[in-house]
């Protein structure tokens, strides 16, 4: 009796399989027609993409037919069902849309069960469709997970390439297109923040930077280059009139850096100009050892004297152009008074005696120095910067 029942099941299964093979083309056509009728996103797609989706639907039904042929085999489906379509299709078709496509195809097959199955084989075919639907759902998730992982790895390499180009001074129009592909907007204010990279997985560090940037409404491009963590920061407010303070912006990201100095490059107007900001930040990071009490984060411009002493030609030029030259053009009295004041250990009375003028005259001239340079000679840190600027200016060829 059992042998006869098993033989009958096998006979029904074989008959159903034969009918399923004959109906495969019809089912594929019906599934594509149903998608065109019910899925607006499918109708609005370019013909090429619709063609690829049609091939995927056909491959899915063909794979089900083959899978149904060997019910005793392990009940799993390879992602090869999607192998007929190019990888780029995962960018054109979202996961949600793919689920809708699969659901529509399964519905068409389920509605045809009574017609396709051999008499008495309806329940077996219906159960097979349910199991297959579950497996194809898992396969779909795997395809999109693999695509997302591949895109993530590619994006990370592309992002590191953009950051490295800015740091090395090789930025060109190609950098802009690569940055745009990564979702970089067009912020009006850009700066580079640089410090030591924490130990551990660099991908986790980069993702943490991105989360912090989203919370602070900042654009970022970031990468771990050797031992350094480099973050290109753009003002995400898209409002040129909004007050932009680079220090609070950097503080929003500083928790992701390792212990040690974090340097903020000068703010520039666009991504290509960020090379100057990156190089200033890198020079500041190298020179930070000379100022152990520097704040964290510190502006690269606040490290100008240390950078100049470390051999940074850009810092030397900036000190001369922004301090020495304006003072020289303002008249010899300011330069002489500042020089004597610094030599006299910042003593008003001592400078006045050396210059044979009243202390109030010295005080007035020092205020003029502050007005011209932005540095107050009475401040210890500013006095150090002014002293280095004077020395560099005097070393300039006549």
């Amino acid at each position: 009796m059992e042998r006869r029942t098993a033989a009958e099941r096998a006979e029904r299964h074989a008959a159903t399989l034969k009918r399923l093979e004959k109906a495969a083309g019809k089912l594929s056509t019906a599934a594509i027609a149903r998608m065109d009728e019910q899925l607006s996103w499918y109708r609005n797609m370019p013909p090429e993409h619709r063609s690829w989706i049609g091939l995927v639907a056909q491959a899915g039904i063909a794979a089900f037919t083959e899978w149904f042929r060997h019910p005793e085999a392990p009940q799993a489906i390879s992602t090869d069902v999607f192998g007929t379509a190019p990888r780029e299709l995962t960018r054109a078709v979202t996961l949600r849309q793919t689920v809708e496509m699969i659901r529509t195809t399964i519905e068409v097959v389920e509605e045809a069960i009574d017609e396709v199955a051999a008499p008495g084989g309806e329940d077996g075919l219906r159960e097979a469709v349910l199991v297959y639907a579950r497996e194809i759902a898992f396969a779909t998730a795997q395809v999109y997970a693999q695509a997302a992982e591949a895109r993530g790895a590619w994006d990370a390499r592309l992002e590191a390439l953009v950051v490295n180009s800015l740091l090395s001074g090789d930025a060109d129009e190609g950098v802009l297109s690569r940055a745009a592909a990564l979702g970089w907007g067009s912020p009006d204010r850009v700066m580079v923040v640089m410090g030591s990279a924490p130990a551990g997985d660099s991908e986790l560090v980069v993702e943490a930077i991105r989360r912090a940037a989203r919370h602070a409404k900042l654009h970022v491009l970031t990468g771990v280059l050797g031992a350094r963590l480099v973050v290109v920061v753009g003002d995400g407010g898209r409002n040129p009139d909004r007050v932009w303070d680079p220090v609070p912006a950097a503080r929003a990201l500083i928790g992701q850096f390792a212990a040690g100095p974090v340097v903020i490059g000068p703010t520039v107007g666009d991504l290509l100009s960020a090379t100057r900001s990156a190089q200033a930040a890198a020079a500041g990071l190298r020179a930070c050892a000379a100022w152990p009490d520097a704040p964290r984060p510190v502006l690269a411009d606040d490290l100008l004297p240390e950078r100049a002493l470390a051999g940074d030609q850009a810092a030397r030029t900036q000190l001369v152009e922004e301090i020495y030259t304006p003072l020289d053009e303002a008249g010899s009295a300011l330069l002489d008074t500042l020089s004597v004041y610094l030599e006299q250990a910042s003593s008003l009375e001592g400078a006045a005696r050396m210059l044979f003028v009243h202390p109030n005259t010295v005080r007035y001239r020092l205020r003029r120095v502050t007005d011209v340079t932005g540095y107050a000679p009475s401040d210890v840190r500013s006095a150090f910067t002014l002293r280095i600027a004077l020395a560099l200016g005097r070393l300039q060829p006549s």
Side-chain angles (χ1 to χ4, degrees):
M1 181 68 177
E2 290 180 0
R3 285 197 298 272
R4 185 168 61 189
T5 303
E8 290 175 351
R9 285 200 301 267
E11 185 177 344
R12 285 196 300 270
H13 182 273
T16 298
L17 177 61
K18 186 176 295 186
R19 298 175 70 165
L20 184 60
E21 290 173 337
K22 290 182 179 179
K26 181 181 177 181
L27 292 174
S28 299
T29 302
I32 294 169
R34 181 75 61 85
M35 281 188 274
D36 189 63
E37 176 187 344
Q38 295 184 351
L39 305 178
S40 59
W41 58 265
Y42 174 79
R43 291 194 302 273
N44 296 329
M45 276 190 156
E48 181 184 5
H49 289 165
R50 289 203 304 272
S51 175
W52 283 119
I53 290 175
L55 288 177
V56 170
Q58 293 173 15
I61 292 175
F64 170 66
T65 303
E66 190 62 29
W67 181 81
F68 186 75
R69 185 189 306 278
H70 304 288
E72 72 284 353
Q75 303 296 296
I77 297 173
S78 168
T79 57
D80 291 344
V81 168
F82 300 95
T84 56
R87 182 177 299 176
E88 290 78 8
L89 196 63
T90 58
R91 291 182 181 269
V93 182
T94 66
L95 177 59
R96 179 185 61 79
Q97 291 170 340
T98 303
V99 170
E100 290 178 350
M101 178 186 73
I102 292 171
R103 181 186 295 119
T104 301
T105 305
I106 295 296
E107 286 175 355
V108 168
V109 175
E110 285 180 332
E111 292 171 4
I113 285 177
D114 292 338
E115 177 185 347
V116 172
E122 294 85 353
D123 291 342
L125 183 57
R126 186 172 289 108
E127 180 180 350
V129 170
L130 290 174
V131 175
Y132 183 81
R134 183 192 67 187
E135 296 297 336
I136 201 70
F138 290 149
T140 302
Q142 184 177 350
V143 166
Y144 274 83
Q146 290 172 344
E149 185 175 337
R151 279 200 302 273
W154 170 253
D155 287 352
R157 290 193 293 271
L158 188 61
E159 191 167 3
L161 178 62
V162 170
V163 172
N164 187 61
S165 296
L166 294 174
L167 190 58
S168 63
D170 296 330
D172 54 19
E173 292 297 325
V175 168
L176 294 180
S177 62
R178 288 190 286 270
L182 293 166
W184 177 265
S186 300
D188 297 304
R189 288 157 293 203
V190 181
M191 67 181 184
V192 175
V193 182
M194 193 177 302
S196 297
D201 191 339
S202 61
E203 291 183 8
L204 297 179
V205 174
V206 168
E207 184 54 36
I209 287 286
R210 292 197 185 108
R211 285 198 303 272
R214 284 194 296 269
H215 181 73
K217 294 182 173 57
L218 299 169
H219 296 283
V220 293
L221 294 169
T222 185
V224 176
L225 305 180
R228 293 181 296 187
L229 173 58
V230 184
V231 186
V232 183
V233 183
D235 178 13
R238 297 180 179 273
N239 180 5
D241 297 325
R242 187 167 70 95
V243 176
W244 166 251
D245 190 339
V247 175
R251 283 178 181 154
L253 310 173
I254 201 171
Q256 314 311 322
F257 288 83
V262 174
V263 181
I264 307 168
T267 299
V268 295
D270 54 56
L271 187 60
L272 289 182
S273 302
T275 288
R276 181 168 64 86
S277 182
Q279 292 176 344
L285 195 61
R286 290 191 296 269
C288 251
W291 188 15
D293 295 327
R296 186 178 190 266
V298 60
L299 296 171
D301 281 356
D302 289 345
L303 287 158
L304 283 174
E306 286 80 10
R307 288 165 53 193
L309 291 172
D312 180 10
Q313 186 58 47
R316 293 180 174 183
T317 300
Q318 189 173 343
L319 285 170
V320 171
E321 290 181 350
E322 295 183 1
I323 296 178
Y324 182 84
T325 300
L327 287 176
D328 187 37
E329 292 174 349
S332 60
L334 293 188
L335 273 177
D336 292 343
T337 300
L338 176 60
S339 179
V340 171
Y341 175 76
L342 294 174
E343 292 296 333
Q344 294 299 311
S346 301
S347 168
L348 283 172
E349 290 76 12
R353 285 194 299 270
M354 293 294 295
L355 293 167
F356 302 102
V357 297
H358 194 277
N360 285 340
T361 301
V362 175
R363 188 177 288 109
Y364 167 76
R365 290 176 181 175
L366 295 179
R367 282 200 299 268
R368 288 279 298 128
V369 169
T370 303
D371 293 339
V372 170
T373 67
Y375 291 88
S378 58
D379 176 76
V380 174
R381 177 69 192 172
S382 294
F384 175 58
T385 303
L386 291 166
R387 184 182 290 273
I388 297 297
L390 290 184
L392 291 171
R394 289 164 177 156
L395 290 171
Q396 294 295 303
S398 302

